[in-house]
Amino acid sequence: MADNARDAYVAGLTLLARRELSEAQVRQRLVRKGHSVEAVDSAIERLTGERALDDARTAEAIARTEVTVRGRGRLRVSQRIQSAGIASATAKRAVEQVYADLDPDALLAGALDKRLRGRSTIADERERNRLYRYLIGQGFESDRVIAVLRKRSGGRGTEG
């Protein structure tokens, strides 16, 4: 059994060498690879003790990637972190930490600009509705989306 725990530990280190993973993700992958639950528990305990595995650090890494690379809003970032098996309180702290350094309106405007592909205005109500659905799906707050779309539509439309 000790050999199996060592094997699970090495496999866990190998997974973590590629990218940050949550405890739940490492646990799931080690079990999927055929390691016993006891060996996985032992490996997780050791990895956590050595700080090779840290859900708070992983949550922050996910949040930074979602914001800087994908340009996502708070809600979508939080959902992404929680889908990695990280507790909602940890996800909330990570999102708050990452967003403390950002201007949410600039992030929203950047997402809209990318979607408009160089145009500065929205053509019609149909396009505005499509953009609204897209931006909400990216995790931006409804009231901010409506305000930005209204400004880009030349004041037309008040609903999402």
Side-chain angles (χ1 to χ4, degrees):
M1 189 62 90
D3 230 9
N4 195 7
R6 186 179 54 75
D7 291 345
Y9 168 76
V10 170
L13 275 179
T14 303
L15 290 170
L16 291 168
R18 293 186 196 125
R19 67 180 202 158
E20 290 280 350
L21 296 169
S22 69
E23 179 181 327
Q25 290 171 319
V26 171
R27 183 177 301 280
Q28 179 184 41
R29 291 170 190 194
L30 291 176
V31 168
R32 198 178 328 140
K33 288 184 176 207
H35 296 283
S36 69
V37 173
E38 296 82 18
V40 170
D41 288 343
S42 175
I44 295 289
E45 185 177 325
R46 185 172 171 191
L47 291 166
T48 303
E50 295 172 350
R51 297 210 14 98
L53 185 59
D54 182 349
D55 277 359
R57 186 179 62 226
T58 302
E60 189 174 334
I62 292 170
R64 289 206 185 284
T65 299
E66 290 293 306
V67 169
T68 58
V69 175
R70 296 190 173 96
R72 302 257 166 86
R74 282 180 185 264
L75 301 173
R76 181 83 180 259
V77 172
S78 184
Q79 288 173 341
R80 172 66 184 87
I81 294 168
Q82 290 180 44
S83 75
I86 296 174
S88 62
T90 305
K92 184 178 180 182
R93 278 192 304 274
V95 170
E96 292 301 322
Q97 195 170 14
V98 168
Y99 272 87
D101 305 334
L102 296 173
D103 176 4
D105 292 328
L107 186 63
L108 174 57
L112 180 59
D113 289 341
K114 184 176 178 182
R115 196 67 172 189
L116 287 173
R117 296 182 179 94
R119 293 182 294 128
S120 61
T121 58
I122 298 169
D124 56 18
E125 186 176 340
R126 186 173 166 192
E127 181 181 32
R128 186 180 56 76
N129 290 339
R130 204 169 32 248
L131 289 167
Y132 175 82
R133 287 189 303 273
Y134 169 76
L135 293 168
I136 292 297
Q138 293 303 303
F140 294 101
E141 294 90 359
S142 160
D143 55 339
R144 289 181 191 262
V145 171
I146 290 169
V148 165
L149 292 176
R150 187 178 298 135
K151 183 188 288 185
R152 292 286 182 97
S153 299
R156 292 187 319 265
T158 58
E159 301 158 8

